[in-house]
Amino acid sequence: AAPAAPAPAAAAPAPANAKAGSPDDADWVCTGCAARGEDGTVPKGFKFCPICGDSFHGTPNPKAKPPAVAEEWQCEGCGEVSIAGWYYCFECGRPHGAPKPPPPGECGGCGEYVPEGDLWKFCWNCGTATGEWDSGAKGRAARFETNEELGDWTCHGCREEVAGTRYCPCCGAQKPG
């Protein structure tokens, strides 16, 4: 069974290029596109840049850019419809062609139960990001008789106190040792 939810994380420092407010306030400029000399204007209401996938808050999209998109497409993650030429979903940031995410509450790496909600961003057993698939996760996952065998620890990545898991559910860092 999955351990109890971690305590709410302290607010992480905002990226240097973070914007104040909300993507619903006005059109915004994608810093990733602008840095490459492109226009970078993203319409009001878009949470992610549909060209490079960077978020409104300035977080770069770590996923590889998908191939060119020649026609309108529907996101497998959230169901939003994007137009031809957009590589990423403007609502959830998933790249075009990415597979449908694992069912809610299920790790896409090791299959373990992962509590739903904003506190659990990574699987406690294998470190896979929630809502993502990871074919290499089963090799990383360690099976223990009880979570107590792992003991509590302080995460070196986000400084959160972690109770009885191999991976930090807040940032995905692995327990040392």
Side-chain angles (χ1 to χ4, degrees):
N17 57 352
K19 297 164 192 61
S22 161
D24 295 327
D25 294 341
D27 288 357
W28 54 279
V29 175
C30 171
T31 53
C33 289
R36 290 187 298 279
E38 300 168 8
D39 173 23
T41 301
V42 179
K44 171 177 142 176
F46 284 28
K47 295 176 185 170
F48 293 86
C49 173
I51 304 304
C52 74
D54 288 3
S55 78
F56 167 80
H57 296 288
T59 305
N61 191 320
K63 298 174 178 74
K65 188 173 183 177
V69 182
E71 56 190 42
E72 187 177 271
W73 57 280
Q74 185 170 14
C75 177
E76 289 287 341
C78 69
E80 287 290 342
V81 176
S82 293
I83 65 170
W86 289 358
Y87 298 93
Y88 298 88
C89 175
F90 64 91
E91 180 64 25
C92 72
R94 280 184 97 70
H96 172 263
K100 186 173 185 143
E106 182 180 314
C107 174
C110 67
E112 286 288 336
Y113 170 73
V114 178
E116 294 181 58
D118 292 338
L119 295 178
W120 291 84
K121 295 177 177 68
F122 296 87
C123 175
W124 58 274
N125 187 51
C126 71
T128 298
T130 55
E132 300 292 335
W133 294 102
D134 184 352
S135 60
K138 287 192 189 241
R140 289 193 311 269
R143 304 291 179 195
F144 295 91
E145 292 299 315
T146 65
N147 292 330
E148 290 76 31
E149 290 179 44
L150 290 166
D152 296 348
W153 55 286
T154 301
C155 177
H156 61 277
C158 66
R159 310 305 304 159
E160 285 295 313
E161 291 299 315
V162 181
T165 65
R166 184 171 181 189
Y167 289 85
C168 176
C170 296
C171 76
Q174 185 174 7
K175 180 181 179 180

